[in-house]
Amino acid sequence: MTSHQTTQTMKPATAAKKLGVYLQATPAEFQEGVVSRNELNALQTDPPQWLQDLRRTGPHPRPVVAAKLGVSIAGLARGGVTEALTTEQIDALKDENPSWLRQERATQADVRKEAVRIKEKNEARETKSGSDS
């Protein structure tokens, strides 16, 4: 019996998410088709001009906007940012540095510190329990 390997495909929304781009800003042929795993790999290793431009200037999806601003996606929503932003708009927000952005960055810094504290506590516990054996 021979095994028949099917080509793995994904919806354009999934591929856009994996590529870190805003789906609505991609070319129509990308939005309307399906993307195979091989096509996705090719887009990642040798991005066409439209993908390079999108990554450089946007509009960027919320996870990318949040990362560029140093806040969480929820923090974006609390700040009233619900749409995709271009790199220019992100830079303008950074320059303006509104109070909500300062607050969300501080919150994100606290979350990171707490994550490090918990990780160190767990590692210390594992080290201690390992030496007790």
Side-chain angles (χ1 to χ4, degrees), residues 69-123:
L69 290 174
V71 300
S72 66
I73 294 173
L76 278 181
R78 286 189 293 269
V81 178
T82 57
E83 297 298 317
L85 298 179
T86 64
T87 301
E88 189 175 302
Q89 291 169 313
I90 293 168
D91 291 342
L93 258 177
K94 285 179 180 176
D95 291 342
E96 182 184 324
N97 201 16
S99 60
W100 72 264
L101 182 56
R102 290 191 302 272
Q103 176 61 43
E104 291 301 333
R105 283 179 166 171
T107 299
Q108 194 70 8
D110 290 344
V111 167
R112 286 189 193 111
K113 284 181 199 169
E114 181 64 7
V116 168
R117 186 191 69 76
I118 290 170
K119 182 180 177 188
E120 289 171 351
K121 180 180 173 184
N122 289 340
E123 287 172 351

Short mmCIF file of all heavy atoms in Angstrom, two decimals, residues 69-123:
data_model
loop_
_atom_site.label_atom_id
_atom_site.label_comp_id
_atom_site.label_asym_id
_atom_site.label_seq_id
_atom_site.Cartn_x
_atom_site.Cartn_y
_atom_site.Cartn_z
N LEU A 69 5.21 48.88 20.07
CA LEU A 69 4.98 49.89 21.10
C LEU A 69 5.40 49.41 22.49
O LEU A 69 5.44 50.20 23.43
CB LEU A 69 3.50 50.29 21.12
CG LEU A 69 3.01 51.10 19.93
CD1 LEU A 69 1.50 51.30 19.99
CD2 LEU A 69 3.72 52.45 19.85
N GLY A 70 5.66 48.12 22.62
CA GLY A 70 6.08 47.58 23.92
C GLY A 70 4.93 47.42 24.90
O GLY A 70 5.12 47.59 26.10
N VAL A 71 3.74 47.11 24.38
CA VAL A 71 2.56 46.91 25.22
C VAL A 71 1.87 45.62 24.82
O VAL A 71 2.22 44.99 23.83
CB VAL A 71 1.57 48.11 25.11
CG1 VAL A 71 2.24 49.40 25.53
CG2 VAL A 71 1.01 48.24 23.70
N SER A 72 0.84 45.24 25.58
CA SER A 72 0.06 44.06 25.24
C SER A 72 -1.05 44.43 24.26
O SER A 72 -1.37 45.62 24.09
CB SER A 72 -0.57 43.47 26.51
OG SER A 72 -1.52 44.37 27.04
N ILE A 73 -1.66 43.44 23.66
CA ILE A 73 -2.79 43.68 22.76
C ILE A 73 -3.95 44.27 23.56
O ILE A 73 -4.64 45.18 23.10
CB ILE A 73 -3.20 42.38 22.03
CG1 ILE A 73 -2.07 41.94 21.09
CG2 ILE A 73 -4.48 42.58 21.24
CD1 ILE A 73 -2.28 40.59 20.44
N ALA A 74 -4.15 43.77 24.77
CA ALA A 74 -5.20 44.33 25.63
C ALA A 74 -4.90 45.78 25.96
O ALA A 74 -5.81 46.62 26.02
CB ALA A 74 -5.34 43.51 26.90
N GLY A 75 -3.62 46.10 26.16
CA GLY A 75 -3.22 47.47 26.43
C GLY A 75 -3.53 48.39 25.25
O GLY A 75 -3.92 49.54 25.44
N LEU A 76 -3.36 47.87 24.05
CA LEU A 76 -3.74 48.64 22.85
C LEU A 76 -5.22 48.98 22.90
O LEU A 76 -5.62 50.12 22.65
CB LEU A 76 -3.47 47.84 21.57
CG LEU A 76 -2.08 47.80 20.99
CD1 LEU A 76 -2.09 46.97 19.72
CD2 LEU A 76 -1.54 49.18 20.73
N ALA A 77 -6.03 47.97 23.20
CA ALA A 77 -7.48 48.17 23.25
C ALA A 77 -7.85 49.19 24.33
O ALA A 77 -8.68 50.07 24.09
CB ALA A 77 -8.19 46.84 23.48
N ARG A 78 -7.21 49.07 25.49
CA ARG A 78 -7.48 50.04 26.56
C ARG A 78 -7.10 51.45 26.14
O ARG A 78 -7.72 52.43 26.54
CB ARG A 78 -6.74 49.65 27.85
CG ARG A 78 -7.37 48.47 28.57
CD ARG A 78 -6.75 48.27 29.94
NE ARG A 78 -5.36 47.86 29.88
CZ ARG A 78 -4.93 46.59 29.85
NH1 ARG A 78 -5.82 45.61 29.86
NH2 ARG A 78 -3.65 46.30 29.81
N GLY A 79 -6.07 51.56 25.29
CA GLY A 79 -5.64 52.86 24.78
C GLY A 79 -6.46 53.35 23.61
O GLY A 79 -6.22 54.43 23.09
N GLY A 80 -7.44 52.54 23.18
CA GLY A 80 -8.31 52.96 22.08
C GLY A 80 -7.78 52.62 20.70
O GLY A 80 -8.35 53.03 19.70
N VAL A 81 -6.71 51.84 20.62
CA VAL A 81 -6.16 51.44 19.32
C VAL A 81 -6.75 50.09 18.95
O VAL A 81 -6.41 49.07 19.55
CB VAL A 81 -4.61 51.36 19.36
CG1 VAL A 81 -4.06 50.90 18.02
CG2 VAL A 81 -4.02 52.69 19.76
N THR A 82 -7.67 50.10 18.00
CA THR A 82 -8.34 48.87 17.61
C THR A 82 -8.08 48.49 16.16
O THR A 82 -8.43 47.39 15.74
CB THR A 82 -9.86 48.99 17.82
OG1 THR A 82 -10.33 50.11 17.07
CG2 THR A 82 -10.21 49.18 19.29
N GLU A 83 -7.48 49.37 15.40
CA GLU A 83 -7.22 49.12 13.98
C GLU A 83 -5.73 48.88 13.75
O GLU A 83 -4.89 49.20 14.59
CB GLU A 83 -7.67 50.35 13.16
CG GLU A 83 -9.16 50.62 13.24
CD GLU A 83 -10.02 49.49 12.70
OE1 GLU A 83 -9.66 48.94 11.63
OE2 GLU A 83 -11.01 49.14 13.34
N ALA A 84 -5.44 48.37 12.55
CA ALA A 84 -4.05 48.22 12.15
C ALA A 84 -3.43 49.61 11.98
O ALA A 84 -4.12 50.55 11.59
CB ALA A 84 -3.98 47.46 10.84
N LEU A 85 -2.14 49.72 12.29
CA LEU A 85 -1.44 50.99 12.15
C LEU A 85 -0.24 50.84 11.24
O LEU A 85 0.37 49.77 11.17
CB LEU A 85 -0.94 51.50 13.52
CG LEU A 85 -1.98 51.80 14.60
CD1 LEU A 85 -1.29 52.26 15.87
CD2 LEU A 85 -2.96 52.85 14.13
N THR A 86 0.11 51.92 10.55
CA THR A 86 1.32 51.92 9.73
C THR A 86 2.52 52.21 10.61
O THR A 86 2.38 52.67 11.75
CB THR A 86 1.24 53.00 8.63
OG1 THR A 86 1.18 54.28 9.26
CG2 THR A 86 0.02 52.80 7.73
N THR A 87 3.70 51.97 10.09
CA THR A 87 4.92 52.27 10.83
C THR A 87 4.97 53.75 11.18
O THR A 87 5.37 54.14 12.28
CB THR A 87 6.15 51.87 10.00
OG1 THR A 87 6.07 50.46 9.72
CG2 THR A 87 7.45 52.16 10.72
N GLU A 88 4.54 54.59 10.26
CA GLU A 88 4.52 56.04 10.48
C GLU A 88 3.60 56.40 11.65
O GLU A 88 3.96 57.22 12.51
CB GLU A 88 4.04 56.73 9.20
CG GLU A 88 4.18 58.23 9.21
CD GLU A 88 3.79 58.83 7.87
OE1 GLU A 88 4.39 58.46 6.85
OE2 GLU A 88 2.87 59.67 7.87
N GLN A 89 2.43 55.78 11.72
CA GLN A 89 1.50 56.03 12.82
C GLN A 89 2.07 55.54 14.15
O GLN A 89 1.90 56.18 15.19
CB GLN A 89 0.15 55.36 12.54
CG GLN A 89 -0.62 55.99 11.40
CD GLN A 89 -1.81 55.14 10.98
OE1 GLN A 89 -1.70 53.93 10.81
NE2 GLN A 89 -2.96 55.79 10.83
N ILE A 90 2.75 54.40 14.12
CA ILE A 90 3.37 53.85 15.33
C ILE A 90 4.46 54.80 15.82
O ILE A 90 4.53 55.11 17.01
CB ILE A 90 3.93 52.43 15.07
CG1 ILE A 90 2.78 51.45 14.80
CG2 ILE A 90 4.79 51.96 16.25
CD1 ILE A 90 3.22 50.11 14.26
N ASP A 91 5.29 55.28 14.90
CA ASP A 91 6.35 56.21 15.27
C ASP A 91 5.77 57.50 15.84
O ASP A 91 6.31 58.06 16.81
CB ASP A 91 7.26 56.50 14.08
CG ASP A 91 8.11 55.29 13.67
OD1 ASP A 91 8.25 54.36 14.49
OD2 ASP A 91 8.61 55.29 12.53
N ALA A 92 4.66 57.97 15.26
CA ALA A 92 4.02 59.19 15.76
C ALA A 92 3.50 58.98 17.18
O ALA A 92 3.64 59.86 18.04
CB ALA A 92 2.88 59.60 14.83
N LEU A 93 2.93 57.80 17.44
CA LEU A 93 2.47 57.48 18.80
C LEU A 93 3.63 57.45 19.78
O LEU A 93 3.52 57.95 20.91
CB LEU A 93 1.76 56.13 18.81
CG LEU A 93 0.25 56.11 18.83
CD1 LEU A 93 -0.27 54.69 18.76
CD2 LEU A 93 -0.32 56.83 20.02
N LYS A 94 4.75 56.85 19.36
CA LYS A 94 5.93 56.81 20.22
C LYS A 94 6.42 58.22 20.54
O LYS A 94 6.78 58.51 21.68
CB LYS A 94 7.06 56.02 19.55
CG LYS A 94 6.86 54.53 19.53
CD LYS A 94 8.05 53.90 18.82
CE LYS A 94 7.96 52.41 18.73
NZ LYS A 94 9.08 51.83 17.95
N ASP A 95 6.44 59.08 19.52
CA ASP A 95 6.90 60.46 19.72
C ASP A 95 5.95 61.23 20.64
O ASP A 95 6.38 61.98 21.51
CB ASP A 95 7.02 61.20 18.38
CG ASP A 95 8.16 60.66 17.52
OD1 ASP A 95 9.05 59.97 18.06
OD2 ASP A 95 8.16 60.92 16.30
N GLU A 96 4.65 61.02 20.43
CA GLU A 96 3.63 61.70 21.24
C GLU A 96 3.66 61.19 22.68
O GLU A 96 3.45 61.95 23.62
CB GLU A 96 2.27 61.46 20.59
CG GLU A 96 1.11 62.14 21.27
CD GLU A 96 -0.21 61.77 20.61
OE1 GLU A 96 -0.26 61.61 19.38
OE2 GLU A 96 -1.19 61.62 21.35
N ASN A 97 3.90 59.89 22.83
CA ASN A 97 3.97 59.21 24.13
C ASN A 97 2.83 59.61 25.06
O ASN A 97 3.05 60.15 26.15
CB ASN A 97 5.33 59.48 24.79
CG ASN A 97 5.66 58.44 25.84
OD1 ASN A 97 5.06 57.37 25.89
ND2 ASN A 97 6.62 58.75 26.69
N PRO A 98 1.58 59.30 24.64
CA PRO A 98 0.43 59.67 25.47
C PRO A 98 0.45 58.92 26.82
O PRO A 98 1.15 57.92 26.98
CB PRO A 98 -0.77 59.24 24.63
CG PRO A 98 -0.24 58.23 23.68
CD PRO A 98 1.20 58.56 23.45
N SER A 99 -0.32 59.42 27.76
CA SER A 99 -0.32 58.84 29.11
C SER A 99 -0.71 57.37 29.10
O SER A 99 -0.14 56.57 29.85
CB SER A 99 -1.24 59.63 30.03
OG SER A 99 -2.57 59.61 29.54
N TRP A 100 -1.68 56.98 28.26
CA TRP A 100 -2.08 55.57 28.23
C TRP A 100 -0.92 54.68 27.79
O TRP A 100 -0.75 53.58 28.30
CB TRP A 100 -3.32 55.33 27.34
CG TRP A 100 -3.06 55.46 25.87
CD1 TRP A 100 -3.26 56.55 25.08
CD2 TRP A 100 -2.55 54.45 24.99
NE1 TRP A 100 -2.90 56.30 23.79
CE2 TRP A 100 -2.46 55.00 23.69
CE3 TRP A 100 -2.16 53.12 25.16
CZ2 TRP A 100 -2.01 54.29 22.59
CZ3 TRP A 100 -1.70 52.40 24.06
CH2 TRP A 100 -1.63 52.99 22.78
N LEU A 101 -0.09 55.18 26.85
CA LEU A 101 1.04 54.40 26.37
C LEU A 101 2.10 54.26 27.47
O LEU A 101 2.63 53.16 27.69
CB LEU A 101 1.65 55.04 25.11
CG LEU A 101 2.82 54.31 24.47
CD1 LEU A 101 2.45 52.86 24.12
CD2 LEU A 101 3.29 55.05 23.22
N ARG A 102 2.37 55.33 28.19
CA ARG A 102 3.32 55.26 29.31
C ARG A 102 2.83 54.26 30.35
O ARG A 102 3.61 53.45 30.86
CB ARG A 102 3.52 56.65 29.93
CG ARG A 102 4.28 57.61 29.04
CD ARG A 102 4.69 58.88 29.78
NE ARG A 102 3.57 59.61 30.35
CZ ARG A 102 2.86 60.53 29.71
NH1 ARG A 102 3.14 60.84 28.46
NH2 ARG A 102 1.86 61.15 30.31
N GLN A 103 1.54 54.33 30.67
CA GLN A 103 0.95 53.44 31.67
C GLN A 103 1.03 51.98 31.22
O GLN A 103 1.41 51.09 31.99
CB GLN A 103 -0.51 53.82 31.94
CG GLN A 103 -1.22 52.88 32.90
CD GLN A 103 -0.57 52.83 34.26
OE1 GLN A 103 -0.20 53.85 34.82
NE2 GLN A 103 -0.42 51.63 34.81
N GLU A 104 0.68 51.72 29.95
CA GLU A 104 0.70 50.34 29.46
C GLU A 104 2.12 49.78 29.36
O GLU A 104 2.34 48.60 29.61
CB GLU A 104 0.00 50.25 28.09
CG GLU A 104 -1.51 50.47 28.16
CD GLU A 104 -2.24 49.48 29.06
OE1 GLU A 104 -1.77 48.34 29.26
OE2 GLU A 104 -3.31 49.86 29.58
N ARG A 105 3.07 50.64 29.02
CA ARG A 105 4.47 50.19 29.00
C ARG A 105 4.93 49.83 30.41
O ARG A 105 5.64 48.84 30.61
CB ARG A 105 5.37 51.26 28.41
CG ARG A 105 5.29 51.33 26.90
CD ARG A 105 6.18 52.43 26.37
NE ARG A 105 6.36 52.29 24.94
CZ ARG A 105 6.94 53.21 24.19
NH1 ARG A 105 7.40 54.33 24.72
NH2 ARG A 105 7.06 53.01 22.89
N ALA A 106 4.53 50.63 31.40
CA ALA A 106 4.88 50.34 32.79
C ALA A 106 4.24 49.02 33.23
O ALA A 106 4.89 48.19 33.88
CB ALA A 106 4.44 51.47 33.70
N THR A 107 2.99 48.82 32.86
CA THR A 107 2.29 47.58 33.18
C THR A 107 3.00 46.39 32.55
O THR A 107 3.22 45.36 33.20
CB THR A 107 0.83 47.64 32.69
OG1 THR A 107 0.17 48.73 33.35
CG2 THR A 107 0.08 46.34 32.96
N GLN A 108 3.38 46.53 31.28
CA GLN A 108 4.07 45.45 30.57
C GLN A 108 5.42 45.15 31.23
O GLN A 108 5.80 43.99 31.37
CB GLN A 108 4.26 45.83 29.10
CG GLN A 108 4.65 44.68 28.21
CD GLN A 108 3.55 43.67 28.01
OE1 GLN A 108 2.41 43.85 28.40
NE2 GLN A 108 3.89 42.56 27.40
N ALA A 109 6.13 46.18 31.67
CA ALA A 109 7.41 45.98 32.36
C ALA A 109 7.20 45.21 33.66
O ALA A 109 7.98 44.31 33.99
CB ALA A 109 8.08 47.33 32.62
N ASP A 110 6.13 45.55 34.39
CA ASP A 110 5.81 44.84 35.64
C ASP A 110 5.49 43.37 35.36
O ASP A 110 5.91 42.48 36.11
CB ASP A 110 4.64 45.50 36.36
CG ASP A 110 4.98 46.86 36.94
OD1 ASP A 110 6.19 47.19 37.05
OD2 ASP A 110 4.04 47.62 37.26
N VAL A 111 4.75 43.12 34.29
CA VAL A 111 4.38 41.75 33.92
C VAL A 111 5.65 40.95 33.61
O VAL A 111 5.80 39.80 34.04
CB VAL A 111 3.41 41.74 32.72
CG1 VAL A 111 3.26 40.36 32.12
CG2 VAL A 111 2.06 42.30 33.13
N ARG A 112 6.58 41.56 32.87
CA ARG A 112 7.83 40.86 32.54
C ARG A 112 8.64 40.57 33.80
O ARG A 112 9.21 39.47 33.93
CB ARG A 112 8.65 41.71 31.56
CG ARG A 112 8.10 41.70 30.16
CD ARG A 112 9.07 42.38 29.18
NE ARG A 112 8.38 42.63 27.92
CZ ARG A 112 8.06 43.84 27.47
NH1 ARG A 112 8.38 44.92 28.17
NH2 ARG A 112 7.44 43.99 26.33
N LYS A 113 8.74 41.54 34.71
CA LYS A 113 9.48 41.33 35.96
C LYS A 113 8.87 40.19 36.77
O LYS A 113 9.59 39.36 37.32
CB LYS A 113 9.46 42.61 36.81
CG LYS A 113 10.39 43.69 36.33
CD LYS A 113 10.29 44.89 37.27
CE LYS A 113 10.81 46.13 36.61
NZ LYS A 113 10.50 47.35 37.38
N GLU A 114 7.55 40.17 36.83
CA GLU A 114 6.86 39.12 37.57
C GLU A 114 7.11 37.75 36.93
O GLU A 114 7.32 36.76 37.63
CB GLU A 114 5.36 39.42 37.66
CG GLU A 114 4.56 38.40 38.44
CD GLU A 114 4.91 38.30 39.91
OE1 GLU A 114 5.71 39.11 40.43
OE2 GLU A 114 4.38 37.39 40.57
N ALA A 115 7.11 37.70 35.61
CA ALA A 115 7.37 36.43 34.91
C ALA A 115 8.77 35.93 35.22
O ALA A 115 8.98 34.73 35.45
CB ALA A 115 7.18 36.61 33.41
N VAL A 116 9.75 36.83 35.25
CA VAL A 116 11.12 36.45 35.59
C VAL A 116 11.19 35.96 37.03
O VAL A 116 11.83 34.95 37.33
CB VAL A 116 12.09 37.64 35.36
CG1 VAL A 116 13.46 37.38 35.97
CG2 VAL A 116 12.21 37.94 33.87
N ARG A 117 10.51 36.66 37.95
CA ARG A 117 10.52 36.28 39.36
C ARG A 117 9.95 34.88 39.54
O ARG A 117 10.53 34.04 40.24
CB ARG A 117 9.71 37.28 40.19
CG ARG A 117 9.80 37.03 41.70
CD ARG A 117 8.79 37.86 42.47
NE ARG A 117 7.42 37.46 42.25
CZ ARG A 117 6.84 36.37 42.79
NH1 ARG A 117 7.53 35.58 43.58
NH2 ARG A 117 5.58 36.08 42.55
N ILE A 118 8.83 34.61 38.87
CA ILE A 118 8.19 33.29 38.99
C ILE A 118 9.09 32.21 38.39
O ILE A 118 9.24 31.13 38.97
CB ILE A 118 6.80 33.31 38.31
CG1 ILE A 118 5.85 34.17 39.14
CG2 ILE A 118 6.27 31.89 38.12
CD1 ILE A 118 4.52 34.45 38.47
N LYS A 119 9.71 32.51 37.26
CA LYS A 119 10.60 31.53 36.63
C LYS A 119 11.77 31.20 37.56
O LYS A 119 12.12 30.03 37.74
CB LYS A 119 11.12 32.08 35.29
CG LYS A 119 12.01 31.12 34.56
CD LYS A 119 12.49 31.71 33.25
CE LYS A 119 13.44 30.74 32.57
NZ LYS A 119 14.09 31.30 31.42
N GLU A 120 12.37 32.24 38.14
CA GLU A 120 13.50 32.01 39.06
C GLU A 120 13.06 31.23 40.29
O GLU A 120 13.79 30.35 40.78
CB GLU A 120 14.12 33.35 39.46
CG GLU A 120 14.88 34.01 38.32
CD GLU A 120 15.32 35.43 38.62
OE1 GLU A 120 14.89 36.00 39.65
OE2 GLU A 120 16.09 35.97 37.81
N LYS A 121 11.88 31.54 40.80
CA LYS A 121 11.35 30.82 41.97
C LYS A 121 11.16 29.35 41.63
O LYS A 121 11.53 28.47 42.42
CB LYS A 121 10.03 31.46 42.40
CG LYS A 121 9.38 30.82 43.59
CD LYS A 121 8.08 31.53 43.93
CE LYS A 121 7.33 30.80 45.02
NZ LYS A 121 6.03 31.43 45.29
N ASN A 122 10.58 29.06 40.46
CA ASN A 122 10.36 27.68 40.05
C ASN A 122 11.67 26.94 39.83
O ASN A 122 11.81 25.76 40.19
CB ASN A 122 9.49 27.62 38.80
CG ASN A 122 8.06 28.01 39.06
OD1 ASN A 122 7.59 27.98 40.21
ND2 ASN A 122 7.34 28.41 38.03
N GLU A 123 12.65 27.63 39.23
CA GLU A 123 13.96 26.99 39.03
C GLU A 123 14.63 26.68 40.36
O GLU A 123 15.24 25.63 40.53
CB GLU A 123 14.86 27.90 38.18
CG GLU A 123 14.45 27.94 36.73
CD GLU A 123 15.22 28.99 35.91
OE1 GLU A 123 15.96 29.82 36.50
OE2 GLU A 123 15.06 28.98 34.69
#
